Amino acid sequence: MPNPLVSQRLPQQRNEVIDRRQKIRFSFEGESYKGFSGDTISSALWASGVRVLGRSFKYHRPRGIFSMADVDCNAMMESPAETNIRGDVTPITEDLTVTAVNTVGGVKNDALRILDKFSAFTPVGFYYKAFHTPRRLFPFYENSIRKVAGLGRVNETRSTPPSPKDYAFCDVIVVGAGPSGLAAAFSAAEQGAQVILVDENEYAGGSFRYLHVGDENFSKLWDRVQSHPRIATRLGTLAAGYYADHWLALVDTQRMTKLRARSVVVAAGCYEQPAVFRNNDLPGVMLAAGALRLMQLYSVRPFAKAIVLTANADGYEAALTFSDAGIEIAAMVDLRPAGEPGSLAAEVAKRKIPIHRGSAVYEAVPGPGKRSIKGAVVCALDAKGAVLPDTGVTIAGDGIAMSVGWTPADGLLRQANTRMVYSADLEQFVPHEFPSGVFAAGRVNGIYDLHHKIEDGRCAGLEAALYLATAKEDKIGPRPERSGPARSHAYPVFFHPKGKNFIDLDEDVTLKDIENACQEGFDYPELLKRYSTVGMGSSQGKHSNLLALRVLTRWRGEEMRTKEMTTARPFTRAIKLSHLAGRIFTAVRRTPIHSFHEAHRAKFMYAGSWMRPEYYQTDGLSREQCIYREAKNVRHGVGLIDLGTLGKIEACGPDVVEFLHRFYTGLFARLRVGRSRYGAMCDESGVVIDDGIVGRLAENRFYFSTTTTGSDAIFQLMQRWIIEWGLGVLLTNVTSHYLAMNLAGPHSIEVLQPLTDIDLSGAAFPYLRIREGTVAGVPARLSRVGFVGEFGFEIHLNADGALHAWNALMEAGKPFEILPFGVEAQRILRLEKGHIIIGQDTDGLTQPDEAGMAWAVKMRKPFFFGQRSLVILQKKQRLRELVGFTLPEDYEGPLPKESHLVIENDEIAGRVTSIGLSPAVGRPIGLAYVKPEQNQVGRKINIRIENGAFVEATVAALPFYDPENLRQKPKKTTVA
């Protein structure tokens, strides 16, 4: 194992992406480390001698670098600001502080590592079979399992950064800036196409950077692409998903771009696949491509002495590259009996590197604490490719580099419905039938030779341009043919009786798990995936799906050519939820009185998109006490509430009465000018959807209100039906033009009369009347309504003068100890009067009869929305009814809450819709739906609260307060 005090940095490499002039200090697991600008967390830690970067999902085994390509969860970390940071690809920044996820006590001494010793008792699917009895303990078992398994923790205090969305268009999008992608982009652009070239890495070149180092084609292609006027390059951008009509989701660190292309070229390359042997997950065991990336891009020595396990020419090339960097190659272990033909094997032999042909790594020998490896047990293979354990020899080394095969990065192709078939010649899936306008090039297309990849990319770019009819002439020529020898081994899986042969490192799924799942009948790819969870980790099976399919196919005695991979769905990589949320823009609307509310310590709540005062904070009082104080003040003095959020609509025209008759359940033809009336509205199914006060300002001119959350939808619905019906009605949404407020309480007339030119006396301004005039010099409309059950006035006035009028009312009310009151106090006051709130005391199935609103429905009209449905419903037995209820005056337990259930004979009989402590009644009161046979006043009902206990309530008559409506009469007071 490397000495952590000795830097593992190599001399400057040709393609390194680090800047050695800029040193960066960061922290991992409480210890300070240094790296260079351009380093990722993993590369900087590995350079500092740190080998354990994380713990595994299920067994908490030590894990280190595996792919360096963001296709495994070995190095998942979290910071105070973010969780599930991918160490392989996340750059270090100054003062970055990270820890490994999913540990108890830190990554070095994770207390949960003991779970590894009990792995025999937690086979695949154990959570489906165990812990279901006794049933009462299942929540405990579930919570315990969730605590010890999984990835990062959600930081509830974190403020989400903005992540705006963008839109883009192009003729051709090329996904992948490797050899074939660069060639495709250039050739398409040369034919006149506007091209966008994307690559998930922060650098271009793909395999040029770590496999074909020094090839002169890279600089030539890259220079041509950068200088071409019709190519836009987006590096550090992941093509995360393909949707209909060549719509792609592009994701970078800042935003998601919704791109619409006319054609698509996928040149995304391949993912290297691991071999399966005992302990193939420990730090020091890594993919050869991962080791090469670590060396070539970050100039970090992956190991000091390596065993290279291979089944292709790539492994020999990797071994020679390691050797050139001063890394000792202890042995080449070639799965093929004949080994590698040609010059590569000769060069390896020339360097006196032992080659074990027809052999496999049977086991990685763990170092102390399994935090590293100290060698490998190498065994010969028989004619069928099975391990011969008796032939095992132990070879010392601190690293195993695996290069046994590849699987195409075909997520986008399969999302586009490209048909992929298994090629026995290449031992991998390759595209067979493309949808219109989709093309593939390079290794994803089964082409591996460098010069052939470039040519394949050139042809794909020309095909895309020809498809768009932008190509000047047909210069495509024959595409390079897919040819062997295969770069992938047919079955790099080697059983060990002691287990820990990992198929999926993300989910800790072993070879034995897959075989057990097959034995239990989950022997179809989709079933196997869901039962065993293989391929369901953070890499989405990029290193495990093909292996699992190989095992399944062999277990069933079938051939790979008959199989298909599981369905590919967006996204191809894990995407932050913040990118999906976009800017997290929530439209916030504030009334013209908002500054007053802020100055008077209002606690705000959302009402649709509006900010409304829930209550006003008073020193020394709790929330409940503040609400109680505000409500009590309205009953005994005077209060003022901001109703600016109500929907406000004006309607005029020769057909306006007919229009209102069709929309509302009530009658308005005989409503005199200057009067108002309650109006309820239903949809076609007879469900109550809105209500408000309708006032008649002139013969053919009405002004009416809607609920806060329904105003926009109701206005749009009305506009639509005016057009559908061809009525002569002009509709104007004046919600933002007018500010509404309600002045209520016994002293309200004394506060308002000095400020208005309208006679407010009972004779001149009776209940349910509407008048126009001024308040504090501001043009206004006043309505005598009683939603809160007290004498008062609803004042609607121009928004630009609203704050002035509000302040004038507050000043005039000082002698009467006026207080502003919020939404919660209003809800208590209206509850005392038994007035319902649409959307709170109704739901998506509530008809008027159920909610006690039959008085507002005039069935003798020719038509209104929901009328025919209500005729049908009235013939049927009612299933529920809204009633009032009270709790005992001396009740001191926890109050039921809205949506708590009413239980009768162990069955759900209804639910609570509103509840609160009433200042006027002196006890808790509420509204609830019950069965019709429970509606008798005095009947006891049982409400089940959160802890499972029951609260006994008594059905009460409505309204709870002032049933004779005497409070709507003005006081016998002389007003100056």
Side-chain angles (χ1 to χ4, degrees):
M1 183 173 179
N3 185 342
L5 300 179
V6 177
S7 173
Q8 301 301 308
R9 288 287 178 189
L10 293 168
Q12 182 173 354
Q13 302 297 297
R14 180 183 183 121
N15 290 329
E16 70 179 21
V17 296
I18 59 175
D19 185 350
R20 297 176 186 252
R21 298 167 299 178
Q22 299 184 44
K23 293 184 178 180
I24 294 177
R25 182 176 294 276
F26 68 104
S27 170
F28 174 67
E29 293 281 314
E31 297 184 21
S32 180
Y33 297 93
K34 289 182 180 179
F36 297 117
S37 175
D39 261 322
T40 66
I41 299 172
S42 294
S43 67
L45 289 174
W46 205 265
S48 299
V50 179
R51 292 297 177 263
V52 181
L53 305 184
R55 291 280 174 168
S56 71
F57 173 85
K58 183 175 175 182
Y59 300 130
H60 291 255
R61 289 167 64 87
R63 294 284 172 82
I65 285 178
F66 189 73
S67 70
M68 280 303 293
D70 195 21
V71 290
D72 57 78
C73 70
N74 280 9
M76 298 289 277
M77 302 167 188
E78 59 189 2
S79 71
E82 193 172 355
T83 191
N84 289 341
I85 299 168
R86 295 169 177 256
D88 283 0
V89 294
T90 302
I92 58 173
T93 56
E94 193 66 38
D95 297 325
L96 173 70
T97 300
V98 291
T99 57
V101 303
N102 193 30
T103 70
V104 174
V107 72
K108 287 184 179 178
N109 300 298
D110 182 10
L112 294 177
R113 65 186 184 278
I114 193 173
L115 294 175
D116 192 27
K117 298 183 181 297
F118 294 93
S119 59
F121 301 100
T122 56
V124 62
F126 80 96
Y127 30 80
Y128 298 127
K129 305 170 187 175
F131 310 128
H132 290 282
T133 56
R135 188 173 180 180
R136 67 180 183 278
L137 294 180
F138 182 75
F140 168 76
Y141 296 140
E142 182 183 24
N143 290 334
S144 299
I145 292 172
R146 290 185 184 279
K147 287 179 181 178
V148 301
L151 298 177
R153 296 165 293 182
V154 175
N155 184 346
E156 296 179 354
T157 64
R158 175 179 176 245
S159 59
T160 305
S163 177
K165 285 185 172 61
D166 193 12
Y167 298 85
F169 302 87
C170 66
D171 292 326
V172 179
I173 180 171
V174 179
V175 180
S180 55
L182 293 173
F186 181 74
S187 64
E190 280 289 276
Q191 295 302 311
Q194 295 292 332
V195 178
I196 291 181
L197 173 67
V198 301
D199 195 289
E200 62 189 288
N201 297 303
E202 296 290 342
Y203 48 85
S207 59
F208 272 133
R209 292 276 188 172
Y210 62 94
L211 287 179
H212 312 299
V213 177
D215 190 280
E216 60 182 13
N217 285 290
F218 173 47
S219 58
K220 292 180 180 178
L221 280 172
W222 183 228
D223 289 344
R224 290 174 181 173
V225 166
Q226 283 186 299
S227 61
H228 204 291
R230 284 191 291 273
I231 300 177
T233 303
R234 298 192 180 194
L235 301 178
T237 301
L238 171 68
Y242 177 97
Y243 302 88
D245 301 322
H246 308 324
W247 189 104
L248 280 82
L250 307 182
V251 178
D252 58 34
T253 57
Q254 299 297 321
R255 65 180 57 81
M256 175 182 288
T257 299
K258 299 178 178 181
L259 177 126
R260 180 78 69 183
R262 297 176 62 200
S263 65
V264 180
V265 177
V266 177
C270 284
Y271 304 115
E272 190 160 33
Q273 299 292 283
V276 179
F277 50 85
R278 179 170 168 77
N279 294 326
N280 63 331
D281 65 320
L282 296 182
V285 180
M286 64 180 75
L287 301 173
L292 290 172
R293 288 187 183 95
L294 195 59
M295 285 178 51
Q296 304 290 4
L297 302 177
Y298 306 103
S299 301
V300 176
R301 181 180 290 105
F303 22 62
K305 185 177 182 180
I307 298 100
V308 178
L309 174 62
T310 188
N312 53 38
D314 300 323
Y316 284 82
E317 291 178 350
L320 294 174
T321 303
F322 297 150
S323 179
D324 290 340
I327 296 171
E328 181 182 352
I329 307 300
M332 290 288 300
V333 181
D334 197 325
L335 301 180
R336 299 167 296 180
E340 176 68 21
S343 59
L344 289 174
E347 181 62 26
V348 168
K350 181 180 178 181
R351 300 191 189 191
K352 299 183 179 180
I353 298 173
I355 302 176
H356 299 257
R357 297 178 177 85
S359 300
V361 172
Y362 185 49
E363 177 182 2
V365 181
K370 299 179 182 177
R371 296 184 178 91
S372 62
I373 65 167
K374 59 182 181 181
V377 176
V378 176
C379 297
L381 302 175
D382 64 17
K384 294 183 179 180
V387 169
L388 300 172
D390 294 341
T391 63
V393 294
T394 301
I395 301 174
D398 66 335
I400 298 175
M402 301 175 288
S403 181
V404 297
W406 304 86
T407 191
D410 59 1
L412 292 177
L413 289 174
R414 291 197 288 137
Q415 289 167 26
N417 288 326
T418 301
R419 184 181 171 216
M420 305 292 292
V421 299
Y422 191 82
S423 167
D425 293 335
L426 300 179
E427 298 292 354
Q428 78 168 60
F429 285 92
V430 294
H432 182 64
E433 293 178 3
F434 292 95
S436 177
V438 176
F439 308 91
R443 288 193 292 176
V444 73
N445 196 35
I447 306 298
Y448 282 86
D449 177 79
L450 174 59
H451 298 290
H452 287 173
K453 285 192 290 186
I454 295 172
E455 178 60 19
D456 199 41
R458 186 190 72 83
C459 292
L462 288 174
E463 285 180 354
L466 187 63
Y467 169 79
L468 300 175
T470 61
K472 299 172 184 176
E473 54 183 300
D474 186 355
K475 299 180 180 179
I476 297 176
R479 294 281 290 268
E481 294 185 1
R482 302 172 183 136
S483 59
R487 297 292 181 108
S488 298
H489 193 273
Y491 199 74
V493 180
F494 308 104
F495 172 78
H496 195 292
K498 293 184 178 180
K500 298 299 187 294
N501 308 268
F502 285 93
I503 296 284
D504 189 340
L505 275 66
D506 288 359
E507 297 286 296
D508 276 355
V509 178
T510 65
L511 174 60
K512 187 176 181 180
D513 289 331
I514 300 296
E515 292 174 341
N516 287 343
C518 293
Q519 290 172 356
E520 294 185 34
F522 299 94
D523 57 352
Y524 185 76
E526 298 285 357
L527 295 177
L528 176 65
K529 174 179 179 177
R530 281 151 183 80
Y531 183 68
S532 67
T533 72
V534 66
M536 296 175 66
S538 60
S539 76
Q540 290 293 283
K542 292 177 177 60
H543 55 61
S544 59
N545 281 348
L546 181 59
L547 281 172
L549 188 62
R550 293 189 192 281
V551 175
L552 170 63
T553 302
R554 179 159 294 197
W555 190 88
R556 289 176 59 94
E558 298 173 345
E559 296 181 6
M560 284 291 291
R561 64 180 177 82
T562 65
K563 296 298 181 185
E564 293 182 359
M565 299 287 276
T566 53
T567 303
R569 299 181 178 90
F571 291 115
T572 57
R573 296 279 176 89
I575 302 300
K576 293 180 180 179
L577 291 178
S578 60
H579 279 68
L580 303 183
R583 293 172 59 193
I584 316 181
F585 173 74
T586 301
V588 177
R589 303 174 73 179
R590 299 176 177 87
T591 71
I593 316 298
H594 191 80
S595 60
F596 174 91
H597 304 322
E598 289 183 319
H600 288 77
R601 302 173 63 190
K603 299 298 182 181
F604 290 99
M605 61 177 287
Y606 277 104
S609 59
W610 291 92
M611 294 291 288
R612 295 194 67 184
E614 182 183 10
Y615 67 96
Y616 297 84
Q617 182 65 59
T618 301
D619 289 336
L621 298 183
S622 66
R623 173 184 179 274
E624 289 72 20
Q625 289 171 329
C626 290
I627 295 168
Y628 190 90
R629 172 175 178 256
E630 292 170 13
K632 187 175 181 180
N633 187 71
V634 173
R635 291 281 181 243
H636 298 283
V638 62
L640 187 61
I641 183 172
D642 181 355
L643 301 178
T645 64
L646 288 178
K648 295 171 279 290
I649 300 174
E650 287 188 5
C652 61
D655 298 325
V656 68
V657 173
E658 176 65 19
F659 163 71
L660 293 174
H661 276 182
R662 296 185 186 187
F663 255 93
Y664 285 98
T665 60
L667 292 168
F668 299 95
R670 296 183 181 179
L671 185 67
R672 296 179 183 177
V673 174
R675 295 195 177 193
S676 59
R677 180 170 293 169
Y678 175 81
M681 192 182 302
C682 294
D683 64 11
E684 291 91 335
S685 62
V687 170
V688 181
I689 59 172
D690 206 87
D691 69 348
I693 299 297
V694 181
R696 193 165 197 167
L697 302 178
E699 188 65 25
N700 291 326
R701 183 175 172 221
F702 288 79
Y703 177 70
F704 51 91
S705 61
T706 72
T707 58
T708 294
T709 55
S711 60
D712 292 337
I714 294 299
F715 180 71
Q716 291 174 4
L717 186 66
M718 287 180 167
Q719 283 184 311
R720 173 194 165 191
W721 282 105
I722 287 172
I723 297 172
E724 290 275 354
W725 291 328
L727 296 178
V729 178
L730 176 64
L731 210 62
T732 307
N733 189 343
V734 292
T735 299
S736 297
H737 181 72
Y738 290 124
L739 184 282
M741 60 185 79
N742 188 11
L743 183 72
H747 297 294
S748 57
I749 192 171
E750 298 162 82
V751 174
L752 180 57
Q753 186 63 81
L755 298 175
T756 182
D757 57 356
I758 301 172
D759 185 353
L760 304 180
S761 64
F765 201 165
Y767 185 56
L768 288 179
R769 299 296 193 272
I770 185 169
R771 300 287 185 266
E772 292 186 291
T774 62
V775 173
V778 181
R781 290 172 181 158
L782 274 63
S783 294
R784 278 275 285 111
V785 293
F787 187 60
V788 298
E790 288 296 331
F791 184 87
F793 302 89
E794 197 168 286
I795 306 168
H796 294 239
L797 67 176
N798 291 347
D800 56 355
L803 184 58
H804 165 72
W806 177 282
N807 288 332
L809 287 167
M810 291 299 297
E811 184 65 28
K814 283 183 178 178
F816 307 99
E817 298 183 351
I818 190 172
L819 287 177
F821 63 101
V823 173
E824 289 301 320
Q826 182 196 44
R827 287 177 175 175
I828 293 295
L829 294 167
R830 65 86 200 178
L831 179 58
E832 292 175 338
K833 285 294 293 180
H835 293 154
I836 69 169
I837 298 176
I838 303 298
Q840 178 171 324
D841 300 302
T842 67
D843 55 33
L845 297 174
T846 303
Q847 54 169 301
D849 284 359
E850 295 176 335
M853 299 171 63
W855 60 270
V857 180
K858 308 303 179 184
M859 297 296 291
R860 65 179 182 269
K861 290 195 300 181
F863 169 80
F864 63 86
F865 271 118
Q867 184 184 48
R868 282 171 291 187
S869 296
L870 291 178
V871 170
I872 296 171
L873 291 169
Q874 286 175 353
K875 295 176 182 178
K876 296 185 177 182
Q877 184 178 0
R878 194 181 304 162
L879 300 178
R880 60 177 181 168
E881 187 172 326
L882 190 68
V883 299
F885 68 85
T886 62
L887 298 185
E889 191 171 350
D890 58 351
Y891 180 78
E892 295 181 351
L895 283 180
K897 296 180 180 179
E898 294 161 8
S899 293
H900 277 174
L901 299 178
V902 177
I903 303 296
E904 179 79 5
N905 297 326
D906 294 328
E907 293 183 353
I908 297 174
R911 64 180 178 88
V912 176
T913 64
S914 295
I915 189 166
L917 179 60
S918 166
V921 182
R923 64 178 65 191
I925 62 174
L927 298 175
Y929 283 105
V930 298
K931 292 181 178 180
E933 58 266 26
Q934 295 177 293
N935 69 353
Q936 304 93 346
V937 174
R939 172 74 179 265
K940 302 297 182 182
I941 58 174
N942 293 309
I943 302 172
R944 188 171 66 189
I945 58 178
E946 286 179 344
N947 59 6
F950 284 87
V951 173
E952 187 178 73
T954 304
V955 176
L958 294 176
F960 300 100
Y961 174 75
D962 188 26
E964 302 298 328
N965 241 19
L966 299 177
R967 304 290 290 189
Q968 293 302 328
K969 297 180 179 180
K971 291 174 57 180
K972 301 297 184 180
T973 304
T974 301
V975 181

